[in-house]
């Protein structure tokens, strides 16, 4: 029977678990009932996620960057042949789309609560015993993770966190994903919306985890670009407004490469989106806040895309305190410098007054 | 046995690793200060830890010796309960799912850093240099103090 090995595997672990914990203290009726309910819930969850043909991989944290980096390294670790057959569980539909960029086809989308329960089940019954591998050094619901605390010590960055902390393989290299070819659709979108190919800036002001600049700063940045002949888009979902003077866009992950390369420029606060666009051949300006600390360092120390090895051409700017106007000037100046070296056939656009 | 109060930190030493246990004891006082606790209760299956505690700190009000199996059960049971962490575990790979041992030696991260920063969350971290005047001959105590 197809489901038999998984069933046996789970039951074997549960019997061991019960033997260890409950039979010793079977007089405690409430404890007994509690575990019975818990185990039956876990069994249903296990049936939903278990891979009959091998390891089940789980992304227990739904951060875009975490899922992107973990998937790319996993694809590199297991090799192209095994990517299609591997089962990977993520939280929500957005993460599912990211994972699919790397060729994974067997992707199970869970709710946050279900994923937390998967982690608790594994903590109690054993990750190895259930043949489940966590693609995060510290699954949030495991409560006992300590790797997070080492951030930035001795230069440990976000990539080390995954290569060493998850895959135990310091030399593992990130595999870039593949994106859909949709240039015709993108060209039509640009035409329909009056966007200029190669002279459009995509701004990404909204982030989930790290610090962001106030909206008024983005309004000024957009305004400056428009004055100098650029058209501007804001990458935003339906919960956010496009920055005044720009067009709101939310292209699917699979179409990002063509869209951004057709536009030519990206300016955004550091977020998971920056990881995804890191390999694109465009002008990438990433703004890092210096007001938060990650371990013993700042955000840029841990999340620098250049230091992580995701790319070597990102323009990385650190924003300090209330120096919003200085940050705006820096962004414009760095874009102008980039233009001088990359747009040699045309006169650089004068961005700084 | 001394009783637990909200000002008490419960610290579990499950590993028979003298280097790890040495740093676990060395930085315990600092951990209590940073975590606003007055005292600690240690739960361990390692006799050397129990015998050495008084050389490192006077803030441990009780040491509970249990068997290896009981520690295993405690950590396993812990995974099932949906509450915040009730205790600290001085280990890099226990309870199940913790894999901080993978970071040891990466970019020269030391055991001292892994215990003080990782386990005890002592950030910012400054190494403690300390000499111990122990003139006894208990091999289990000497085993832990050899790391000094």
């Amino acid at each position: 029977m197809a489901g038999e090995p998984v069933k046996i595997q789970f039951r074997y672990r549960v019997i061991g678990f019960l033997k260890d914990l409950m039979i010793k203290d079977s007089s405690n009726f409430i404890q007994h009932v509690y575990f019975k309910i818990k185990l039956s819930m876990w069994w249903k969850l296990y049936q939903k996620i278990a891979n009959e043909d091998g390891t089940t991989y789980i992304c227990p944290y739904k951060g875009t960057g975490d899922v992107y980096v973990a998937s790319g390294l996993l694809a590199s670790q297991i090799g192209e042949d095994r990517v299609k057959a591997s089962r990977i569980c993520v939280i929500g539909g957005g993460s599912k789309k990211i994972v699919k960029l790397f060729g994974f086809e067997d992707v199970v989308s869970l709710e946050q609560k279900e994923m937390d329960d998967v982690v608790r089940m594994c903590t109690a019954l054993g990750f190895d015993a259930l043949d489940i591998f966590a693609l995060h050094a510290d699954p949030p619901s495991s409560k006992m993770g300590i790797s997070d605390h080492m951030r930035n010590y001795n230069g440990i960055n976000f990539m080390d966190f995954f290569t060493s902390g998850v895959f135990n393989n310091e030399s593992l290299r990130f595999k870039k994903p593949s994106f859909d070819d949709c240039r015709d659709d993108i060209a039509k979108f640009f035409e329909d919306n009056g966007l200029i190919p190669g002279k459009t800036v995509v701004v990404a002001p909204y982030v989930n985890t790290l610090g962001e600049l106030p909206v008024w700063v983005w309004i000024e940045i957009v305004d400056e670009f428009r004055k100098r002949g650029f058209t501007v888009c804001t990458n935003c979902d339906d919960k956010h407004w496009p920055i005044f003077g720009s067009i709101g866009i939310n292209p699917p992950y699979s179409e990002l490469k063509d869209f951004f390369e057709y536009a030519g420029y990206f300016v955004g606060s550091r977020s998971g989106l920056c990881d995804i666009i890191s390999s694109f051949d465009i002008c990438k300006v990433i703004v890092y806040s210096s007001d938060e600390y990650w371990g013993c360092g700042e955000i840029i120390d841990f999340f620098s895309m250049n230091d992580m090895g995701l790319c070597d051409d990102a323009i990385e700017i650190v924003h300090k305190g209330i120096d919003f106007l200085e940050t705006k000037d820096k962004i414009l100046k760095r874009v102008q410098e980039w233009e001088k070296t990359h747009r040699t056939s045309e006169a650089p656009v004068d961005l700084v007054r | 046995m001394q009783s637990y109060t909200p000002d008490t930190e419960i610290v579990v030493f499950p590993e028979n690793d003298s280097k790890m246990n040495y740093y676990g004891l060395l930085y315990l006082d600092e951990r209590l200060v940073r975590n606003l606790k007055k005292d600690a209760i240690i739960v361990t299956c390692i006799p050397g830890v129990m015998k050495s505690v008084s050389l490192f700190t006077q803030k441990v009000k009780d040491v509970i010796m249990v068997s290896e199996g009981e520690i295993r059960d405690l950590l396993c049971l812990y995974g099932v309960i949906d509450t915040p962490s009730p205790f600290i575990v001085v280990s890099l790979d226990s309870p199940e799912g913790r894999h901080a041992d993978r970071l040891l030696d990466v970019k020269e991260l030391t055991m001292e850093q892994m215990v003080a920063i990782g386990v005890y969350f002592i950030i910012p971290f400054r190494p403690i240099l300390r000499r111990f005047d122990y003139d006894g001959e208990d091999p289990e105590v000497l085993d832990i103090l050899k790391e000094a």
Side-chain angles (χ1 to χ4, degrees):
Chain A
M1 205 176 134
E4 203 58 15
V6 163
K7 203 169 179 179
I8 289 170
Q9 198 176 323
F10 188 82
R11 282 196 172 160
Y12 174 78
R13 270 310 296 168
V14 167
I15 289 164
F17 178 73
L18 292 172
K19 190 165 153 269
D20 284 351
L21 290 175
M22 290 160 62
I23 294 171
K24 284 177 190 168
D25 188 16
S26 56
S27 59
N28 189 334
F29 178 73
I30 294 172
Q31 193 187 60
H32 199 93
V33 171
Y34 176 79
F35 282 119
K36 262 204 147 153
I37 294 169
K38 202 91 190 168
L39 289 167
S40 99
M41 281 165 52
W42 285 352
W43 167 234
K44 281 182 190 155
L45 201 52
Y46 188 65
Q47 278 179 308
K48 186 173 174 180
I49 66 164
N51 183 3
E52 305 294 341
D53 305 320
T55 306
T56 301
Y57 298 95
I58 58 168
C59 283
Y61 186 67
K62 68 173 178 182
T64 306
D66 295 70
V67 175
Y68 180 81
V69 172
S71 311
L73 290 171
L74 176 64
S76 171
Q77 171 94 341
I78 63 179
E80 212 167 309
D81 300 342
R82 287 172 55 204
V83 163
K84 281 187 181 170
S86 295
R87 175 168 291 184
I88 182 161
C89 300
V90 297
I91 303 165
S95 300
K96 190 173 181 172
K97 288 173 192 161
I98 295 170
V99 169
K100 288 201 161 197
L101 293 175
F102 295 91
F104 292 96
E105 290 178 355
D106 188 2
V107 187
V108 180
S109 176
L110 302 176
E111 290 176 18
Q112 179 73 58
K113 193 178 171 309
E114 288 179 307
M115 184 61 85
D116 290 348
D117 264 343
V118 169
V119 173
R120 281 192 202 104
M121 171 178 76
C122 294
T123 310
L125 303 181
F127 280 87
D128 290 345
L130 299 178
D131 206 359
I132 292 176
F133 187 89
L135 296 171
H136 200 277
D138 281 344
S141 55
S142 79
K143 302 170 285 187
M144 281 299 203
I146 60 169
S147 300
D148 264 355
H149 302 168
M150 306 311 298
R151 288 186 285 215
N152 276 326
Y153 275 95
N154 295 24
I156 292 281
N157 67 22
F158 193 50
M159 189 59 84
D160 300 320
F161 206 63
F162 282 92
T163 52
S164 300
V166 174
F167 294 99
N168 205 13
N169 182 356
E170 233 176 309
S171 56
L172 188 61
R173 289 292 164 262
F174 181 81
K175 178 187 178 291
K176 289 179 184 170
S178 14
F179 295 87
D180 292 348
D181 182 352
C182 48
R183 276 169 286 189
D184 293 344
D185 295 341
I186 302 295
K188 188 169 183 315
F189 181 87
F190 269 62
E191 199 181 326
D192 291 348
N193 290 280
L195 298 170
I196 307 167
K199 210 172 174 191
T200 292
V201 184
V202 181
V203 295
Y206 306 117
V207 300
N208 291 322
T209 310
L210 306 173
E212 59 190 29
L213 298 174
V215 172
W216 69 264
V217 181
W218 287 105
I219 292 174
E220 292 208 2
I221 291 169
V222 168
D223 195 40
E224 291 287 346
F225 276 117
R226 289 183 72 211
K227 278 178 190 163
R228 283 152 182 80
F230 286 86
T231 47
V232 187
C233 304
T234 302
N235 189 73
C236 57
D237 55 24
D238 50 9
K239 292 176 198 149
H240 296 97
W241 291 96
I243 299 298
F244 184 72
S246 70
I247 293 169
I249 56 154
N250 191 11
Y253 290 131
S254 59
E255 295 177 10
L256 283 178
K257 185 175 169 63
D258 279 351
F259 192 100
F260 278 61
E261 292 193 341
Y262 208 71
Y265 297 82
F266 171 81
V267 180
S269 293
R270 181 66 168 101
S271 69
L273 177 69
C274 301
D275 294 301
I276 300 178
I277 63 117
S278 59
S279 61
F280 300 172
D281 186 17
I282 56 172
C283 172
K284 304 177 276 266
V285 182
I286 318 296
V287 183
Y288 297 79
S289 165
S290 68
D291 299 335
E292 292 173 42
Y293 288 88
W294 286 68
C296 64
E298 294 181 4
I299 291 173
I300 192 168
D301 302 322
F302 193 66
F303 288 110
S304 160
M305 297 195 331
N306 293 335
D307 291 349
M308 281 171 64
L310 285 173
C311 58
D312 59 7
D313 59 351
I315 299 167
E316 302 188 299
I317 292 173
V318 178
H319 168 75
K320 291 185 189 300
I322 59 161
D323 292 347
F324 299 115
L325 299 175
E326 288 78 358
T327 298
K328 183 191 79 176
D329 289 345
K330 265 189 224 167
I331 291 170
L332 297 168
K333 189 173 172 220
R334 296 296 296 276
V335 170
Q336 188 177 21
E337 286 168 3
W338 185 89
E339 288 235 306
K340 279 180 188 167
T341 52
H342 290 78
R343 298 270 192 262
T344 47
S345 57
E346 297 167 21
V349 180
D350 183 22
L351 288 171
V352 183
R353 290 176 206 201
Chain B
M1 192 166 73
Q2 295 285 323
S3 61
Y4 169 82
T5 72
D7 291 330
T8 304
E9 187 94 272
I10 300 175
V11 188
V12 181
F13 283 78
E15 305 284 352
N16 191 11
D17 181 324
S18 56
K19 198 169 188 176
M20 188 185 298
N21 292 336
Y22 169 77
Y23 290 118
L25 291 169
L26 184 67
Y27 286 94
L28 184 54
D29 275 355
E30 185 67 21
R31 161 72 193 187
L32 297 180
V33 170
R34 301 279 182 112
N35 208 28
L36 307 179
K37 299 284 185 183
K38 270 188 358 203
D39 46 38
I41 293 175
I42 286 178
V43 181
T44 185
C45 55
I46 312 297
V49 170
M50 184 188 69
K51 293 175 186 172
S52 312
V53 169
S54 58
L55 296 170
F56 289 83
T57 172
Q58 304 308 311
K59 290 185 180 175
V60 172
K61 62 180 180 182
D62 203 356
V63 181
I64 301 170
M65 279 298 290
V66 292
S67 67
E68 276 183 51
E70 284 170 316
I71 290 239
R72 206 169 47 240
D73 288 352
L74 174 72
L75 298 180
C76 183
L77 185 66
Y78 172 74
V80 191
I81 301 163
D82 312 341
T83 57
S85 171
F87 48 75
I88 310 171
V89 184
V90 182
S91 170
L92 301 188
D93 58 1
S94 182
E96 177 71 27
R98 181 184 287 186
H99 295 296
D101 53 322
R102 293 172 184 163
L103 289 178
L104 186 63
D105 297 331
V106 174
K107 294 193 171 173
E108 297 177 358
L109 281 176
T110 62
M111 177 65 85
E112 182 174 16
Q113 288 176 308
M114 295 302 296
V115 173
I117 302 164
V119 175
Y120 286 156
F121 198 31
I122 295 173
I123 299 175
F125 164 72
R126 183 174 286 169
I128 294 176
L129 299 170
R130 192 166 155 191
R131 289 175 60 89
F132 291 88
D133 296 321
Y134 176 70
D135 49 11
E137 290 179 358
D138 189 320
E140 286 167 334
V141 176
L142 290 171
D143 188 39
I144 285 183
L145 291 182
K146 75 174 188 291
E147 306 299 337

